[in-house]
Amino acid sequence: MRDATFHILVALARGERHGYGIIQRVGELTDGAVRLGAGTLYGALDRLATDGQVVATRTEIVGGRERRYYALTDSGRGALTAEVERRAALVAAAEAEVAHLPGLAGEPA
Amino acid sequence: MSGEEEEGVERTARRLLHAYPWRVRTELGDEIVATVLDTLPPGAERLPWRDRIDLVRGGIRTRWGRRLPLGAHLRYFFGARIDDCWRQWVLDDLEAPGLRRRLALRSVLSSVAFLAFVGLGGDGSWPLAGVVVVVAAAVGVWRAPAQRIVIARRQGLLGPAAEVGDEWVLAPERAALPNLPVARLAVAVGVPGALAGLAAVVAAASPVPIPALDQPYHSAEPVGLGLLAATAIPPLVLGVGGGALLAVNAGLAARRLAAAPAERPVGHRGATTVAAVVTALVVAVVLGYVAVMVLARLLPWEAGTVGAAVAPASVGLLVAADRLRVAGRRRGMPIGLWDLVPRFAPRRRVMAIHAGTAALLPGAEPVPDAPGHPRG
């Protein structure tokens, strides 16, 4: 799963959001390290919608502009959980390896 | 950011939105632009390059994600029916603007492939190859509206009323044209033959070789009967078909001339007077002569021999082609050979339209009383 896709799924974990809301949430979750662009966002959303992992729920008019809200489907939640587990396992394995790096064992982060 | 700057950013974003497929642009365009404006860095006067690239990449990714697999694409290109799961893709292809361009491009690609397969285009035959490609493009552009219906029918988006199910909506009665391909083939083969024949007859009969190009068609010796027969079989086939078309069209013209003035078609620009018919034929002969002279440069033709046998068919085919064109315009849709003979004309039948394709047939409405309608 691409990073951008993963970020979007995580941002939607707590409930529906509109496009800009997803971008803001991704920024919050990564402490500003990841700035999701509108193009990347909608490219990934289109793929997620086709795969049935994200669905558009409702539309609001805010400030004269249409805002469409997106939410995870059951399939999307399942994919997110599986990806989190996969990445967590990868990080755990990596941490075990890093512990063996010469000179780094026991040093503070 | 000032209103003017915001407008500038919006214009740029909308231009870059063309990277996205038409359907996404139409449905989500406003939302994407709004999100782009929301995510602008503070103090930005123009859309930053990073965001521009991001938009284009997003568009390309979206197109890639929605692409037809190569196998399905080839099947669609050659007119075979593809899986129903790609129905939305087909609808988008038929409804998005620029269908003429797309069909012209496909025509050009198929003609280039055909030419490469046949081996034309090298050794000086490239003028003929060029003519074929240009004609293919022109046909693609010209026939796009009718081709849209043909493609929709091939892909199962239109069908007979018997297949009506929950998702189908009945359209008003439209005439079915099962013989249209045959009629078109007859005209497509017959018209060039007619033109060439007429022109060659004129060239052969003229006492003075007309100094157009350096190939005289004025034959000094009488052509042997055996040679004439051997080379005349295809033209004779054309001649028989042309004769039939002539007879059918003579009947149509007679019927139209006999009709009361109120029954004559409005806006009809046809040749119902003798003078107009003669003018059309003279123009056709001149054009045909030029065409034969040009084609003689491109092909090793014995136009004189072929032309003499084709001549009887030429008159009939030219008049028939004109009649088909005029009658088709009157009906608002191209008509087929059998439509000219009322006894053989197919009866109108009801067509069913998939609910999403009503846009393909303007004026289509559900017919609640018809049998098989979901609500009827």
Side-chain angles (χ1 to χ4, degrees):
Chain A
M1 185 185 286
R2 280 181 20 240
D3 275 353
T5 314
F6 182 56
H7 292 143
I8 294 171
L9 289 178
V10 171
L12 289 172
R14 292 203 192 210
E16 64 177 18
R17 286 179 186 273
H18 54 71
Y20 183 49
I22 297 175
I23 294 175
Q24 280 178 314
R25 184 72 186 139
V26 169
E28 285 167 27
L29 289 170
T30 59
D31 277 334
V34 174
R35 186 178 156 246
L36 197 61
T40 314
L41 169 68
Y42 285 97
L45 274 177
D46 189 68
R47 188 72 226 209
L48 286 167
T50 312
D51 292 343
Q53 292 175 348
V54 160
V55 71
T57 50
R58 61 192 174 91
T59 314
E60 251 180 25
I61 313 279
V62 175
R65 295 205 208 121
E66 239 183 37
R67 283 189 189 286
R68 194 174 313 208
Y69 282 77
Y70 299 91
L72 291 180
T73 60
D74 290 335
S75 161
R77 276 187 278 272
L80 173 60
T81 320
E83 184 67 12
V84 165
E85 283 172 17
R86 191 188 73 85
R87 292 193 181 215
L90 186 59
V91 166
E95 276 176 341
E97 296 305 305
V98 162
H100 286 95
L101 279 176
L104 285 186
E107 279 189 323
Chain B
M1 178 185 233
S2 76
E4 224 177 64
E5 287 165 350
E6 191 170 296
E7 268 175 30
V9 168
E10 183 169 334
R11 266 201 308 274
T12 311
R14 286 210 185 267
R15 254 206 324 271
L16 295 170
L17 267 186
H18 280 274
Y20 287 83
W22 170 77
R23 173 72 63 185
V24 172
R25 254 194 338 262
T26 317
E27 291 179 358
L28 294 179
D30 292 340
E31 188 183 331
I32 299 178
V33 168
T35 311
V36 166
L37 287 170
D38 285 337
T39 56
L40 273 181
E45 291 170 356
R46 286 204 307 255
L47 191 59
W49 277 103
R50 186 192 148 144
D51 290 343
R52 293 186 201 211
I53 295 173
D54 181 68
L55 260 183
V56 171
R57 274 197 7 217
I60 295 176
R61 273 235 164 81
T62 311
R63 282 186 189 265
W64 180 255
R66 286 170 170 243
R67 82 197 180 287
L68 220 48
L70 183 62
H73 215 121
L74 285 174
R75 291 172 57 79
Y76 182 71
F77 188 90
F78 288 109
R81 178 145 177 194
I82 58 178
D83 261 355
D84 282 349
C85 63
W86 300 112
R87 173 166 278 164
Q88 187 60 46
W89 191 96
V90 173
L91 276 174
D92 292 350
D93 185 51
L94 295 178
E95 287 184 48
L99 180 67
R100 282 186 205 260
R101 252 176 290 141
R102 284 196 294 283
L103 290 181
L105 181 63
R106 287 172 203 168
S107 284
V108 164
L109 284 175
S110 358
S111 64
V112 166
F114 170 73
L115 290 171
F117 178 74
V118 161
L120 273 179
D123 303 341
S125 62
W126 62 263
L128 176 62
V131 164
V132 169
V133 170
V134 166
V135 166
V139 166
V141 167
W142 174 46
R143 298 254 39 105
Q147 194 64 10
R148 175 188 277 165
I149 308 281
V150 168
I151 296 176
R153 196 178 288 142
R154 271 197 208 130
Q155 296 302 328
L157 296 175
L158 305 174
E163 290 168 25
V164 167
D166 281 345
E167 53 186 69
W168 294 75
V169 155
L170 289 175
E173 290 189 355
R174 289 183 70 88
L177 306 170
N179 305 307
L180 188 55
V182 173
R184 285 205 179 129
L185 185 65
V187 173
V189 169
V191 168
L195 289 178
L198 270 178
V201 162
V202 166
S206 75
V208 177
I210 300 173
L213 299 168
D214 56 359
Q215 292 226 17
Y217 285 98
H218 197 74
S219 172
E221 318 150 344
V223 178
L225 197 61
L227 177 63
L228 183 69
T231 55
I233 289 178
L236 278 177
V237 169
L238 280 177
V240 169
L245 278 171
L246 177 63
V248 161
N249 279 278
L252 182 69
R255 200 170 43 170
R256 182 176 309 173
L257 284 171
E263 291 170 15
R264 300 247 179 100
V266 176
H268 153 59
R269 220 181 56 186
T272 47
T273 65
V274 173
V277 170
V278 169
T279 310
L281 284 177
V282 167
V283 169
V285 165
V286 171
L287 287 178
Y289 181 76
V290 172
V292 166
M293 287 297 133
V294 170
L295 280 174
R297 270 269 177 95
L298 305 172
L299 290 171
W301 262 17
E302 285 294 332
T305 311
V306 171
V310 158
S314 310
V315 175
L317 285 166
L318 276 176
V319 175
D322 184 61
R323 288 303 191 182
L324 279 171
R325 180 187 60 83
V326 158
R329 185 180 304 163
R330 171 168 58 99
R331 292 260 293 259
M333 56 164 47
I335 63 175
L337 173 61
W338 268 263
D339 289 333
L340 300 175
V341 183
R343 285 171 49 136
F344 298 118
R347 278 194 293 279
R348 290 162 172 263
R349 66 174 192 226
V350 180
M351 297 198 72
I353 299 183
H354 185 277
T357 62
L360 296 171
L361 288 181
E365 290 167 7
V367 179
D369 302 318
H373 187 268
R375 292 193 295 271

